[in-house]
Each structure stands twice: as structure tokens, then as C-alpha cells.
Amino acid sequence: MIYSFDVFDTCIVRSCGKPDNIFRLLAEEVVQDKDESRLRAFVIERKNAEKTAILSLGKEAVTLNEIYDVFDLSLFTNMPKAQIKELEIALELCSFAPIKRTIEKINSLRSKGRILFISDMYLPDKVIQEGLTSLGIMQEGDCLYVSGSIGFSKYSGQLFDYVAQMEDIKNSVWVHHGDNLHSDYFMPRRKGIKARLVCSGYST
């Protein structure tokens, strides 16, 4: 059997809550004029940069490098773009907190089959793997698939097709777990994959 798990809000949660809060924390670190309107504008522009990268590259998902390639920081700071990108990664890693219930589920399934992690995410694979490994969630022999580095997403379903091909999986022996009703439940079911909806929510 193959047991796959979404990563964010399924295996780990950001201690700051929604992803936008990471961008707000980043803004408070790098924006030179701490005016509230500029801080909010930074968050909006960071989100728009991902959309712009996806459209300009004609891909379903993009990497953090590709996002920063089109992220215009000139109105906010003179700090080098590479430094800001590393700050964003550092903030992400510091925010990761494990979801105990999912970890217990994963551990109960290890003796029954192979464990995969599949994420619609722009962060580098090594960053997500570092976070999962440091929290005792990902172990040697597990495999991670990230949409940004592959160019396909769970949202469209093509990432599931890619994983099936790479792992040589028959969908009848595959169970996917995740919190997103469309990407982690309806889409895998359309692909003939068994799906389990995980409800976690954000920590206080």
C-alpha cells in the first residue's frame, strides 16, 4: 500500500497561522518605512508575485526563486533580494509545528506500506524536508514531491499523475490524506485514489 500525506495544515501547521502572516512578519523585518500601508502593500505584492510568475512561465506551480525573480522590492527596501528570500525561508522554518494526530496516523501506517508527502508549495524541497525531518515526521525511505519544483499541482490533479508515474503506483492501492477539500479529497478521488479528509485548523 501507498499512503501519501499533504504537508501544510495536515502534517505541520504554521505557528503564526495563515501563510499571509509569514509575509507580514517578513515585511516587518525588511520594509524600511514601517508605515502600516506599506507593510500591507508588501504582503499584497509578495502574493501577486507568485501569480505573476505562474502566468509568465505558463506553469501550474513555481519555485520561490521564480517568485522572487518577478518580485519588485524597490518600493520597500534596499536590502538584497537574496537576503530577503533567505529571511522568508528562516521565518517559515521557525514557524513549523507538528500536528500530533497526523504523526500518530503516519506512524501507525509505516508497517503497512510506503509513506509519501505531496505538497502544493513554492518552498524548496530541502526546506520542507528539513522541517519534516526535524519534527520526526519524515524518515529515511519516505519521499517528498513538491509542486513548485515539479511544475504540476495537486489542485489540477497532474501532480498525482506525476507521482503515480514516478512511483509506479496503481491507484487502487493508494490512500491520500489532506486538509484541502478540492486538492486533497475530490481531486484524488477523481483519479481513482482513495482519499481521507484531515481537519486540523490553526493552533492558537
Side-chain angles (χ1 to χ4, degrees), residues 26 54 119 140 159:
L26 181 62
I54 288 172
S119 182
E140 186 176 352
L159 186 52

Side-chain angles (χ1 to χ4, degrees), residues 28-150:
E28 292 173 358
E29 291 277 347
V30 305
V31 174
Q32 291 171 334
D33 181 356
K34 297 297 191 288
D35 176 80
E36 181 62 26
S37 63
R38 280 187 176 271
L39 293 172
R40 290 181 180 177
F42 179 94
V43 173
I44 292 170
E45 289 305 310
R46 168 59 184 80
K47 293 168 66 178
N48 285 341
E50 181 176 0
K51 297 175 184 176
T52 299
I54 288 172
L55 289 172
S56 63
L57 294 171
K59 297 165 62 177
E60 292 182 5
V62 292
T63 65
L64 191 65
N65 285 338
E66 290 166 338
I67 291 170
Y68 270 82
D69 283 344
V70 298
F71 188 8
D72 184 3
L73 292 158
S74 60
L75 294 176
F76 304 106
T77 182
N78 293 323
M79 189 180 295
K81 187 174 285 190
Q83 185 177 349
I84 298 172
K85 183 171 59 179
E86 290 304 313
L87 272 172
E88 179 173 333
I89 290 173
L91 285 168
E92 287 278 14
L93 282 170
C94 287
S95 77
F96 293 170
I99 298 177
K100 183 179 178 181
R101 182 170 52 186
T102 305
I103 297 174
E104 291 173 345
K105 181 67 174 178
I106 292 171
N107 290 337
S108 73
L109 294 172
R110 285 195 175 279
S111 62
K112 301 177 181 178
R114 181 160 160 74
I115 303 296
L116 308 178
F117 298 95
I118 308 175
S119 182
D120 275 353
M121 194 14 116
Y122 45 78
L123 286 173
D125 298 29
K126 65 178 182 179
V127 172
I128 300 174
Q129 184 169 344
E130 179 183 342
L132 290 171
T133 303
S134 66
L135 294 171
I137 301 171
M138 189 173 181
Q139 298 182 8
E140 186 176 352
D142 298 344
C143 199
L144 171 67
Y145 293 92
V146 181
S147 65
S149 61
I150 295 168

